[in-house]
Amino acid sequence: MKVNLKRYGLYLVRWQLSTPILAGVGIVLASMGALTAAIVANLIGGLIFFWVDRFIFTSETLDAQWEVKENICCVDCGKTTRGYRLVRTQTYDRSDDPEPEFRCEECSIKKSDELKRKGRNH
């Protein structure tokens, strides 16, 4: 399983930020009893952090953006098939490329592995 380290890092930060918020709610509601305070604090946490988690795990800004097209001619091997091209990452943007280069799945994987070996994790 591949892990998107940006997403994972943000999730860990979010997890740490939830502690003081939920502890504060627990302290304020402590007079209601520990169990009730814990239930209410967790409900409030769910109301808040559902939206934060949703952003972390679904946001396109945290992930590489790819374009997929049918019936392309692979720039590397010449095969006519479904093609892939990396459009945008945090440090790479070819969204306005007038002549985009598509690769078949096999060549796209090879190219991604080559970039990773060179230290460019797109």
Side-chain angles (χ1 to χ4, degrees):
M1 175 174 90
K2 283 187 168 184
V3 175
N4 182 320
L5 293 178
K6 285 187 283 189
R7 290 183 197 276
Y8 187 57
L10 281 173
Y11 179 73
L12 292 175
V13 168
R14 193 277 312 160
W15 192 263
Q16 293 304 310
L17 291 175
S18 67
T19 303
I21 293 170
L22 297 180
V25 171
I27 291 168
V28 169
L29 301 177
S31 63
M32 299 173 74
L35 181 60
T36 303
I39 291 169
V40 173
N42 280 315
L43 286 172
I44 292 171
L47 290 169
I48 296 169
F49 295 112
F50 169 81
W51 302 105
V52 175
D53 289 349
R54 183 175 175 205
F55 170 78
I56 290 170
F57 292 111
T58 62
S59 172
E60 289 183 7
T61 61
L62 299 174
D63 205 4
Q65 294 178 4
W66 291 81
E67 182 178 1
V68 180
K69 212 173 198 181
E70 297 294 330
N71 299 317
I72 60 89
C73 181
C74 176
V75 300
D76 292 340
C77 70
K79 187 183 342 178
T80 300
T81 184
R82 175 183 290 160
Y84 304 86
R85 81 174 183 107
L86 183 60
V87 178
R88 181 183 301 133
T89 67
Q90 190 174 12
T91 59
Y92 176 91
D93 187 353
R94 295 290 189 272
S95 53
D96 293 329
D97 191 345
E99 295 181 29
E101 294 183 345
F102 286 88
R103 289 177 172 79
C104 67
E105 183 174 359
E106 186 178 313
C107 291
S108 181
I109 291 169
K110 286 179 188 175
K111 181 72 172 183
S112 291
D113 289 344
E114 175 187 319
L115 290 172
K116 286 176 188 173
R117 280 193 305 277
K118 291 180 178 178
R120 297 184 202 155
N121 290 333
H122 290 299

